[in-house]
Every structure is written in C-alpha cells, then in structure tokens.
mmCIF file of all heavy atoms in Angstrom:
data_model
loop_
_atom_site.group_PDB
_atom_site.id
_atom_site.type_symbol
_atom_site.label_atom_id
_atom_site.label_comp_id
_atom_site.label_asym_id
_atom_site.label_seq_id
_atom_site.Cartn_x
_atom_site.Cartn_y
_atom_site.Cartn_z
ATOM 1 N N PRO E 1 -14.666 5.332 7.521
ATOM 2 C CA PRO E 1 -14.776 4.162 6.639
ATOM 3 C C PRO E 1 -14.087 4.363 5.297
ATOM 4 O O PRO E 1 -13.530 3.413 4.727
ATOM 5 C CB PRO E 1 -16.296 3.992 6.466
ATOM 6 C CG PRO E 1 -16.885 4.610 7.686
ATOM 7 C CD PRO E 1 -16.004 5.774 7.988
ATOM 8 N N MET E 2 -14.104 5.613 4.783
ATOM 9 C CA MET E 2 -13.422 5.881 3.520
ATOM 10 C C MET E 2 -11.904 5.687 3.672
ATOM 11 O O MET E 2 -11.237 5.138 2.787
ATOM 12 C CB MET E 2 -13.708 7.309 3.054
ATOM 13 C CG MET E 2 -15.142 7.581 2.615
ATOM 14 S SD MET E 2 -15.654 6.602 1.186
ATOM 15 C CE MET E 2 -16.762 5.433 1.976
ATOM 16 N N LYS E 3 -11.365 6.145 4.799
ATOM 17 C CA LYS E 3 -9.926 5.997 5.045
ATOM 18 C C LYS E 3 -9.547 4.522 5.164
ATOM 19 O O LYS E 3 -8.508 4.090 4.652
ATOM 20 C CB LYS E 3 -9.530 6.743 6.324
ATOM 21 C CG LYS E 3 -9.599 8.255 6.209
ATOM 22 C CD LYS E 3 -9.278 8.914 7.567
ATOM 23 C CE LYS E 3 -9.419 10.424 7.501
ATOM 24 N NZ LYS E 3 -9.175 11.052 8.837
ATOM 25 N N VAL E 4 -10.376 3.759 5.849
ATOM 26 C CA VAL E 4 -10.107 2.327 5.995
ATOM 27 C C VAL E 4 -10.155 1.641 4.633
ATOM 28 O O VAL E 4 -9.306 0.801 4.308
ATOM 29 C CB VAL E 4 -11.110 1.682 6.965
ATOM 30 C CG1 VAL E 4 -10.904 0.167 7.020
ATOM 31 C CG2 VAL E 4 -10.959 2.278 8.356
ATOM 32 N N THR E 5 -11.142 2.005 3.830
ATOM 33 C CA THR E 5 -11.265 1.430 2.493
ATOM 34 C C THR E 5 -10.073 1.801 1.621
ATOM 35 O O THR E 5 -9.573 0.978 0.845
ATOM 36 C CB THR E 5 -12.572 1.905 1.824
ATOM 37 O OG1 THR E 5 -13.677 1.592 2.678
ATOM 38 C CG2 THR E 5 -12.776 1.224 0.483
ATOM 39 N N MET E 6 -9.600 3.032 1.756
ATOM 40 C CA MET E 6 -8.413 3.451 1.010
ATOM 41 C C MET E 6 -7.193 2.655 1.442
ATOM 42 O O MET E 6 -6.341 2.296 0.611
ATOM 43 C CB MET E 6 -8.174 4.950 1.212
ATOM 44 C CG MET E 6 -6.954 5.486 0.473
ATOM 45 S SD MET E 6 -7.050 5.275 -1.326
ATOM 46 C CE MET E 6 -8.225 6.575 -1.744
ATOM 47 N N LEU E 7 -7.089 2.353 2.729
ATOM 48 C CA LEU E 7 -5.985 1.531 3.219
ATOM 49 C C LEU E 7 -6.022 0.145 2.593
ATOM 50 O O LEU E 7 -4.998 -0.376 2.128
ATOM 51 C CB LEU E 7 -6.055 1.423 4.744
ATOM 52 C CG LEU E 7 -5.105 0.409 5.407
ATOM 53 C CD1 LEU E 7 -3.652 0.810 5.178
ATOM 54 C CD2 LEU E 7 -5.398 0.283 6.895
ATOM 55 N N VAL E 8 -7.212 -0.452 2.550
ATOM 56 C CA VAL E 8 -7.357 -1.780 1.945
ATOM 57 C C VAL E 8 -7.033 -1.718 0.454
ATOM 58 O O VAL E 8 -6.361 -2.603 -0.091
ATOM 59 C CB VAL E 8 -8.782 -2.315 2.174
ATOM 60 C CG1 VAL E 8 -8.971 -3.654 1.454
ATOM 61 C CG2 VAL E 8 -9.059 -2.476 3.662
ATOM 62 N N ALA E 9 -7.486 -0.661 -0.216
ATOM 63 C CA ALA E 9 -7.198 -0.496 -1.647
ATOM 64 C C ALA E 9 -5.697 -0.382 -1.886
ATOM 65 O O ALA E 9 -5.160 -0.941 -2.855
ATOM 66 C CB ALA E 9 -7.919 0.738 -2.181
ATOM 67 N N PHE E 10 -5.019 0.353 -1.002
ATOM 68 C CA PHE E 10 -3.563 0.499 -1.137
ATOM 69 C C PHE E 10 -2.867 -0.850 -0.987
ATOM 70 O O PHE E 10 -1.937 -1.162 -1.741
ATOM 71 C CB PHE E 10 -3.044 1.488 -0.095
ATOM 72 C CG PHE E 10 -1.546 1.602 -0.072
ATOM 73 C CD1 PHE E 10 -0.876 2.307 -1.057
ATOM 74 C CD2 PHE E 10 -0.804 1.002 0.937
ATOM 75 C CE1 PHE E 10 0.520 2.400 -1.043
ATOM 76 C CE2 PHE E 10 0.573 1.094 0.957
ATOM 77 C CZ PHE E 10 1.236 1.796 -0.035
ATOM 78 N N LEU E 11 -3.312 -1.654 -0.028
ATOM 79 C CA LEU E 11 -2.694 -2.962 0.180
ATOM 80 C C LEU E 11 -2.926 -3.870 -1.020
ATOM 81 O O LEU E 11 -2.035 -4.634 -1.412
ATOM 82 C CB LEU E 11 -3.260 -3.610 1.446
ATOM 83 C CG LEU E 11 -2.875 -2.944 2.762
ATOM 84 C CD1 LEU E 11 -3.602 -3.597 3.918
ATOM 85 C CD2 LEU E 11 -1.368 -3.000 2.976
ATOM 86 N N ILE E 12 -4.118 -3.795 -1.611
ATOM 87 C CA ILE E 12 -4.411 -4.613 -2.784
ATOM 88 C C ILE E 12 -3.555 -4.177 -3.972
ATOM 89 O O ILE E 12 -3.041 -5.005 -4.738
ATOM 90 C CB ILE E 12 -5.914 -4.522 -3.135
ATOM 91 C CG1 ILE E 12 -6.744 -5.204 -2.044
ATOM 92 C CG2 ILE E 12 -6.200 -5.154 -4.498
ATOM 93 C CD1 ILE E 12 -8.241 -5.041 -2.219
ATOM 94 N N ALA E 13 -3.394 -2.865 -4.141
ATOM 95 C CA ALA E 13 -2.648 -2.330 -5.281
ATOM 96 C C ALA E 13 -1.146 -2.267 -5.027
ATOM 97 O O ALA E 13 -0.392 -1.898 -5.941
ATOM 98 C CB ALA E 13 -3.168 -0.932 -5.636
ATOM 99 N N LEU E 14 -0.706 -2.604 -3.832
ATOM 100 C CA LEU E 14 0.710 -2.464 -3.490
ATOM 101 C C LEU E 14 1.641 -3.238 -4.426
ATOM 102 O O LEU E 14 2.724 -2.724 -4.762
ATOM 103 C CB LEU E 14 0.937 -2.888 -2.038
ATOM 104 C CG LEU E 14 2.326 -2.596 -1.449
ATOM 105 C CD1 LEU E 14 2.677 -1.117 -1.595
ATOM 106 C CD2 LEU E 14 2.387 -3.016 0.018
ATOM 107 N N PRO E 15 1.289 -4.454 -4.878
ATOM 108 C CA PRO E 15 2.179 -5.116 -5.848
ATOM 109 C C PRO E 15 2.387 -4.293 -7.117
ATOM 110 O O PRO E 15 3.492 -4.260 -7.665
ATOM 111 C CB PRO E 15 1.439 -6.432 -6.147
ATOM 112 C CG PRO E 15 0.633 -6.699 -4.923
ATOM 113 C CD PRO E 15 0.190 -5.354 -4.444
ATOM 114 N N VAL E 16 1.337 -3.618 -7.578
ATOM 115 C CA VAL E 16 1.470 -2.767 -8.766
ATOM 116 C C VAL E 16 2.370 -1.577 -8.459
ATOM 117 O O VAL E 16 3.227 -1.196 -9.269
ATOM 118 C CB VAL E 16 0.087 -2.283 -9.252
ATOM 119 C CG1 VAL E 16 0.226 -1.352 -10.459
ATOM 120 C CG2 VAL E 16 -0.807 -3.463 -9.598
ATOM 121 N N VAL E 17 2.185 -0.978 -7.288
ATOM 122 C CA VAL E 17 3.014 0.158 -6.883
ATOM 123 C C VAL E 17 4.478 -0.256 -6.804
ATOM 124 O O VAL E 17 5.370 0.449 -7.308
ATOM 125 C CB VAL E 17 2.546 0.705 -5.513
ATOM 126 C CG1 VAL E 17 3.473 1.806 -5.025
ATOM 127 C CG2 VAL E 17 1.114 1.234 -5.615
ATOM 128 N N MET E 18 4.736 -1.424 -6.210
ATOM 129 C CA MET E 18 6.116 -1.888 -6.070
ATOM 130 C C MET E 18 6.710 -2.247 -7.426
ATOM 131 O O MET E 18 7.908 -2.039 -7.674
ATOM 132 C CB MET E 18 6.161 -3.085 -5.114
ATOM 133 C CG MET E 18 5.686 -2.748 -3.716
ATOM 134 S SD MET E 18 5.647 -4.159 -2.593
ATOM 135 C CE MET E 18 7.360 -4.266 -2.110
ATOM 136 N N TYR E 19 5.890 -2.775 -8.334
ATOM 137 C CA TYR E 19 6.385 -3.078 -9.684
ATOM 138 C C TYR E 19 6.779 -1.803 -10.416
ATOM 139 O O TYR E 19 7.819 -1.753 -11.091
ATOM 140 C CB TYR E 19 5.329 -3.830 -10.495
ATOM 141 C CG TYR E 19 5.710 -3.957 -11.958
ATOM 142 C CD1 TYR E 19 6.654 -4.896 -12.365
ATOM 143 C CD2 TYR E 19 5.156 -3.098 -12.917
ATOM 144 C CE1 TYR E 19 7.030 -4.992 -13.695
ATOM 145 C CE2 TYR E 19 5.528 -3.193 -14.250
ATOM 146 C CZ TYR E 19 6.468 -4.139 -14.634
ATOM 147 O OH TYR E 19 6.854 -4.217 -15.956
ATOM 148 N N GLN E 20 5.962 -0.751 -10.298
ATOM 149 C CA GLN E 20 6.290 0.520 -10.943
ATOM 150 C C GLN E 20 7.591 1.089 -10.393
ATOM 151 O O GLN E 20 8.410 1.636 -11.141
ATOM 152 C CB GLN E 20 5.142 1.523 -10.751
ATOM 153 C CG GLN E 20 3.833 1.136 -11.430
ATOM 154 C CD GLN E 20 3.975 0.994 -12.934
ATOM 155 O OE1 GLN E 20 4.745 1.701 -13.571
ATOM 156 N NE2 GLN E 20 3.200 0.082 -13.513
ATOM 157 N N LEU E 21 7.792 0.959 -9.097
ATOM 158 C CA LEU E 21 9.042 1.415 -8.494
ATOM 159 C C LEU E 21 10.214 0.601 -9.016
ATOM 160 O O LEU E 21 11.269 1.151 -9.374
ATOM 161 C CB LEU E 21 8.950 1.300 -6.969
ATOM 162 C CG LEU E 21 10.208 1.656 -6.184
ATOM 163 C CD1 LEU E 21 10.590 3.113 -6.413
ATOM 164 C CD2 LEU E 21 10.009 1.390 -4.695
ATOM 165 N N TRP E 22 10.032 -0.719 -9.081
ATOM 166 C CA TRP E 22 11.086 -1.592 -9.585
ATOM 167 C C TRP E 22 11.409 -1.276 -11.038
ATOM 168 O O TRP E 22 12.584 -1.219 -11.431
ATOM 169 C CB TRP E 22 10.652 -3.047 -9.441
ATOM 170 C CG TRP E 22 11.653 -4.014 -10.021
ATOM 171 C CD1 TRP E 22 12.768 -4.502 -9.418
ATOM 172 C CD2 TRP E 22 11.623 -4.611 -11.328
ATOM 173 N NE1 TRP E 22 13.442 -5.356 -10.259
ATOM 174 C CE2 TRP E 22 12.764 -5.437 -11.438
ATOM 175 C CE3 TRP E 22 10.743 -4.521 -12.401
ATOM 176 C CZ2 TRP E 22 13.043 -6.171 -12.590
ATOM 177 C CZ3 TRP E 22 11.023 -5.245 -13.552
ATOM 178 C CH2 TRP E 22 12.155 -6.066 -13.635
ATOM 179 N N ALA E 23 10.385 -1.070 -11.868
ATOM 180 C CA ALA E 23 10.601 -0.779 -13.286
ATOM 181 C C ALA E 23 11.351 0.536 -13.480
ATOM 182 O O ALA E 23 12.096 0.700 -14.455
ATOM 183 C CB ALA E 23 9.265 -0.732 -14.022
ATOM 184 N N PHE E 24 11.179 1.464 -12.539
ATOM 185 C CA PHE E 24 11.850 2.762 -12.655
ATOM 186 C C PHE E 24 13.332 2.665 -12.300
ATOM 187 O O PHE E 24 14.184 3.283 -12.955
ATOM 188 C CB PHE E 24 11.164 3.787 -11.757
ATOM 189 C CG PHE E 24 11.802 5.143 -11.785
ATOM 190 C CD1 PHE E 24 11.677 5.979 -12.890
ATOM 191 C CD2 PHE E 24 12.541 5.594 -10.693
ATOM 192 C CE1 PHE E 24 12.277 7.227 -12.925
ATOM 193 C CE2 PHE E 24 13.151 6.835 -10.714
ATOM 194 C CZ PHE E 24 13.008 7.658 -11.828
ATOM 195 N N ILE E 25 13.648 1.881 -11.276
ATOM 196 C CA ILE E 25 15.045 1.835 -10.813
ATOM 197 C C ILE E 25 15.844 0.700 -11.447
ATOM 198 O O ILE E 25 17.079 0.726 -11.405
ATOM 199 C CB ILE E 25 15.115 1.703 -9.273
ATOM 200 C CG1 ILE E 25 14.536 0.346 -8.819
ATOM 201 C CG2 ILE E 25 14.381 2.844 -8.594
ATOM 202 C CD1 ILE E 25 14.699 0.085 -7.344
ATOM 203 N N ALA E 26 15.165 -0.288 -12.062
ATOM 204 C CA ALA E 26 15.859 -1.464 -12.593
ATOM 205 C C ALA E 26 16.945 -1.138 -13.616
ATOM 206 O O ALA E 26 18.023 -1.740 -13.578
ATOM 207 C CB ALA E 26 14.847 -2.441 -13.192
ATOM 208 N N PRO E 27 16.723 -0.197 -14.551
ATOM 209 C CA PRO E 27 17.778 0.072 -15.547
ATOM 210 C C PRO E 27 19.094 0.539 -14.950
ATOM 211 O O PRO E 27 20.149 0.391 -15.582
ATOM 212 C CB PRO E 27 17.153 1.177 -16.423
ATOM 213 C CG PRO E 27 15.679 0.989 -16.276
ATOM 214 C CD PRO E 27 15.491 0.552 -14.860
ATOM 215 N N GLY E 28 19.075 1.105 -13.766
ATOM 216 C CA GLY E 28 20.303 1.593 -13.141
ATOM 217 C C GLY E 28 20.966 0.597 -12.205
ATOM 218 O O GLY E 28 21.948 0.938 -11.537
ATOM 219 N N LEU E 29 20.438 -0.636 -12.155
ATOM 220 C CA LEU E 29 20.977 -1.639 -11.236
ATOM 221 C C LEU E 29 21.907 -2.600 -11.956
ATOM 222 O O LEU E 29 21.788 -2.813 -13.167
ATOM 223 C CB LEU E 29 19.838 -2.434 -10.589
ATOM 224 C CG LEU E 29 18.841 -1.649 -9.721
ATOM 225 C CD1 LEU E 29 17.729 -2.581 -9.261
ATOM 226 C CD2 LEU E 29 19.539 -1.016 -8.527
ATOM 227 N N TYR E 30 22.845 -3.168 -11.213
ATOM 228 C CA TYR E 30 23.650 -4.253 -11.740
ATOM 229 C C TYR E 30 22.761 -5.475 -11.951
ATOM 230 O O TYR E 30 21.697 -5.602 -11.350
ATOM 231 C CB TYR E 30 24.784 -4.604 -10.778
ATOM 232 C CG TYR E 30 25.804 -3.507 -10.605
ATOM 233 C CD1 TYR E 30 25.973 -2.881 -9.366
ATOM 234 C CD2 TYR E 30 26.603 -3.098 -11.672
ATOM 235 C CE1 TYR E 30 26.915 -1.876 -9.197
ATOM 236 C CE2 TYR E 30 27.538 -2.096 -11.513
ATOM 237 C CZ TYR E 30 27.689 -1.480 -10.273
ATOM 238 O OH TYR E 30 28.615 -0.490 -10.115
ATOM 239 N N LEU E 31 23.235 -6.374 -12.795
ATOM 240 C CA LEU E 31 22.432 -7.547 -13.123
ATOM 241 C C LEU E 31 22.143 -8.392 -11.891
ATOM 242 O O LEU E 31 21.019 -8.856 -11.693
ATOM 243 C CB LEU E 31 23.157 -8.386 -14.185
ATOM 244 C CG LEU E 31 22.409 -9.626 -14.691
ATOM 245 C CD1 LEU E 31 21.064 -9.223 -15.286
ATOM 246 C CD2 LEU E 31 23.248 -10.369 -15.724
ATOM 247 N N HIS E 32 23.152 -8.585 -11.037
ATOM 248 C CA HIS E 32 22.930 -9.408 -9.841
ATOM 249 C C HIS E 32 21.978 -8.711 -8.873
ATOM 250 O O HIS E 32 21.272 -9.359 -8.111
ATOM 251 C CB HIS E 32 24.261 -9.732 -9.153
ATOM 252 C CG HIS E 32 24.895 -8.581 -8.448
ATOM 253 N ND1 HIS E 32 25.695 -7.659 -9.093
ATOM 254 C CD2 HIS E 32 24.840 -8.179 -7.148
ATOM 255 C CE1 HIS E 32 26.119 -6.765 -8.232
ATOM 256 N NE2 HIS E 32 25.609 -7.042 -7.043
ATOM 257 N N GLU E 33 21.939 -7.378 -8.911
ATOM 258 C CA GLU E 33 21.005 -6.642 -8.059
ATOM 259 C C GLU E 33 19.581 -6.787 -8.585
ATOM 260 O O GLU E 33 18.639 -6.894 -7.808
ATOM 261 C CB GLU E 33 21.409 -5.173 -8.001
ATOM 262 C CG GLU E 33 22.695 -4.922 -7.237
ATOM 263 C CD GLU E 33 23.176 -3.488 -7.307
ATOM 264 O OE1 GLU E 33 22.794 -2.775 -8.260
ATOM 265 O OE2 GLU E 33 23.931 -3.068 -6.420
ATOM 266 N N ARG E 34 19.439 -6.798 -9.906
ATOM 267 C CA ARG E 34 18.104 -6.983 -10.490
ATOM 268 C C ARG E 34 17.549 -8.363 -10.161
ATOM 269 O O ARG E 34 16.351 -8.526 -9.954
ATOM 270 C CB ARG E 34 18.176 -6.795 -12.009
ATOM 271 C CG ARG E 34 18.069 -5.349 -12.439
ATOM 272 C CD ARG E 34 17.962 -5.236 -13.931
ATOM 273 N NE ARG E 34 19.249 -4.935 -14.517
ATOM 274 C CZ ARG E 34 19.483 -4.914 -15.826
ATOM 275 N NH1 ARG E 34 18.526 -5.227 -16.661
ATOM 276 N NH2 ARG E 34 20.673 -4.623 -16.288
ATOM 277 N N ARG E 35 18.432 -9.355 -10.120
ATOM 278 C CA ARG E 35 17.986 -10.706 -9.768
ATOM 279 C C ARG E 35 17.525 -10.776 -8.320
ATOM 280 O O ARG E 35 16.679 -11.595 -7.964
ATOM 281 C CB ARG E 35 19.128 -11.698 -9.994
ATOM 282 C CG ARG E 35 19.474 -11.924 -11.458
ATOM 283 C CD ARG E 35 20.747 -12.729 -11.586
ATOM 284 N NE ARG E 35 21.106 -12.960 -12.984
ATOM 285 C CZ ARG E 35 22.309 -13.341 -13.389
ATOM 286 N NH1 ARG E 35 23.276 -13.549 -12.484
ATOM 287 N NH2 ARG E 35 22.562 -13.534 -14.671
ATOM 288 N N LEU E 36 18.077 -9.919 -7.489
ATOM 289 C CA LEU E 36 17.732 -9.926 -6.069
ATOM 290 C C LEU E 36 16.475 -9.120 -5.771
ATOM 291 O O LEU E 36 15.761 -9.406 -4.803
ATOM 292 C CB LEU E 36 18.906 -9.358 -5.261
ATOM 293 C CG LEU E 36 18.812 -9.422 -3.733
ATOM 294 C CD1 LEU E 36 18.744 -10.869 -3.260
ATOM 295 C CD2 LEU E 36 19.992 -8.709 -3.097
ATOM 296 N N ILE E 37 16.172 -8.130 -6.622
ATOM 297 C CA ILE E 37 15.062 -7.214 -6.350
ATOM 298 C C ILE E 37 13.722 -7.939 -6.296
ATOM 299 O O ILE E 37 12.932 -7.741 -5.366
ATOM 300 C CB ILE E 37 15.013 -6.097 -7.415
ATOM 301 C CG1 ILE E 37 16.090 -5.051 -7.127
ATOM 302 C CG2 ILE E 37 13.652 -5.426 -7.430
ATOM 303 C CD1 ILE E 37 15.830 -4.238 -5.877
ATOM 304 N N LEU E 38 13.439 -8.798 -7.268
ATOM 305 C CA LEU E 38 12.130 -9.460 -7.319
ATOM 306 C C LEU E 38 11.850 -10.297 -6.080
ATOM 307 O O LEU E 38 10.781 -10.155 -5.469
ATOM 308 C CB LEU E 38 12.014 -10.299 -8.597
ATOM 309 C CG LEU E 38 10.636 -10.926 -8.849
ATOM 310 C CD1 LEU E 38 9.571 -9.846 -8.945
ATOM 311 C CD2 LEU E 38 10.655 -11.778 -10.117
ATOM 312 N N PRO E 39 12.778 -11.171 -5.642
ATOM 313 C CA PRO E 39 12.520 -11.900 -4.392
ATOM 314 C C PRO E 39 12.345 -10.973 -3.194
ATOM 315 O O PRO E 39 11.519 -11.238 -2.317
ATOM 316 C CB PRO E 39 13.768 -12.778 -4.223
ATOM 317 C CG PRO E 39 14.346 -12.895 -5.583
ATOM 318 C CD PRO E 39 14.031 -11.621 -6.287
ATOM 319 N N LEU E 40 13.097 -9.873 -3.159
ATOM 320 C CA LEU E 40 12.971 -8.936 -2.043
ATOM 321 C C LEU E 40 11.620 -8.243 -2.045
ATOM 322 O O LEU E 40 11.002 -8.055 -0.993
ATOM 323 C CB LEU E 40 14.093 -7.894 -2.107
ATOM 324 C CG LEU E 40 15.494 -8.371 -1.711
ATOM 325 C CD1 LEU E 40 16.497 -7.239 -1.853
ATOM 326 C CD2 LEU E 40 15.503 -8.920 -0.292
ATOM 327 N N VAL E 41 11.147 -7.860 -3.237
ATOM 328 C CA VAL E 41 9.848 -7.194 -3.337
ATOM 329 C C VAL E 41 8.736 -8.136 -2.888
ATOM 330 O O VAL E 41 7.855 -7.766 -2.101
ATOM 331 C CB VAL E 41 9.601 -6.705 -4.775
ATOM 332 C CG1 VAL E 41 8.142 -6.300 -4.967
ATOM 333 C CG2 VAL E 41 10.513 -5.518 -5.098
ATOM 334 N N ILE E 42 8.782 -9.376 -3.374
ATOM 335 C CA ILE E 42 7.744 -10.347 -3.028
ATOM 336 C C ILE E 42 7.770 -10.660 -1.528
ATOM 337 O O ILE E 42 6.724 -10.672 -0.864
ATOM 338 C CB ILE E 42 7.925 -11.643 -3.847
ATOM 339 C CG1 ILE E 42 7.679 -11.362 -5.337
ATOM 340 C CG2 ILE E 42 6.973 -12.732 -3.355
ATOM 341 C CD1 ILE E 42 7.979 -12.542 -6.235
ATOM 342 N N SER E 43 8.966 -10.890 -0.998
ATOM 343 C CA SER E 43 9.068 -11.218 0.429
ATOM 344 C C SER E 43 8.691 -10.022 1.302
ATOM 345 O O SER E 43 8.063 -10.194 2.353
ATOM 346 C CB SER E 43 10.482 -11.695 0.758
ATOM 347 O OG SER E 43 11.441 -10.704 0.444
ATOM 348 N N SER E 44 9.044 -8.805 0.869
ATOM 349 C CA SER E 44 8.687 -7.609 1.641
ATOM 350 C C SER E 44 7.174 -7.450 1.716
ATOM 351 O O SER E 44 6.621 -7.169 2.786
ATOM 352 C CB SER E 44 9.316 -6.364 1.010
ATOM 353 O OG SER E 44 10.716 -6.426 1.052
ATOM 354 N N TYR E 45 6.513 -7.629 0.586
ATOM 355 C CA TYR E 45 5.052 -7.504 0.553
ATOM 356 C C TYR E 45 4.407 -8.582 1.429
ATOM 357 O O TYR E 45 3.499 -8.299 2.227
ATOM 358 C CB TYR E 45 4.560 -7.619 -0.879
ATOM 359 C CG TYR E 45 3.053 -7.551 -1.021
ATOM 360 C CD1 TYR E 45 2.381 -6.352 -0.826
ATOM 361 C CD2 TYR E 45 2.313 -8.680 -1.354
ATOM 362 C CE1 TYR E 45 0.995 -6.280 -0.952
ATOM 363 C CE2 TYR E 45 0.935 -8.617 -1.481
ATOM 364 C CZ TYR E 45 0.288 -7.410 -1.282
ATOM 365 O OH TYR E 45 -1.085 -7.353 -1.409
ATOM 366 N N ALA E 46 4.882 -9.823 1.266
ATOM 367 C CA ALA E 46 4.299 -10.929 2.027
ATOM 368 C C ALA E 46 4.510 -10.725 3.531
ATOM 369 O O ALA E 46 3.585 -10.925 4.330
ATOM 370 C CB ALA E 46 4.918 -12.248 1.576
#
C-alpha cells in the first residue's frame, strides 16, 4: 500500500517535477523550442 500511495503521490506531483525539469533546460533552448515545450509537457502529462 505504501508503494501504491507513492505512485499516486508521484502522479499528483508530476506537473511540479516536469516544471522543474523545464526550468532547468529552458535557458539553453531556442525561443521557438521554449514555445513548444509547454504544450508538449501538458500534452505528455495528460
């Protein structure tokens, strides 16, 4: 049950995890790539 709960917690926190990843790599991306990242992150999660 603890493992299952951790899985659910990870899914709930996944937008935060993906945002932290995006914030780390965004400075090294081209502008058009940064515009594409947010829709890709949202669609990937969904």
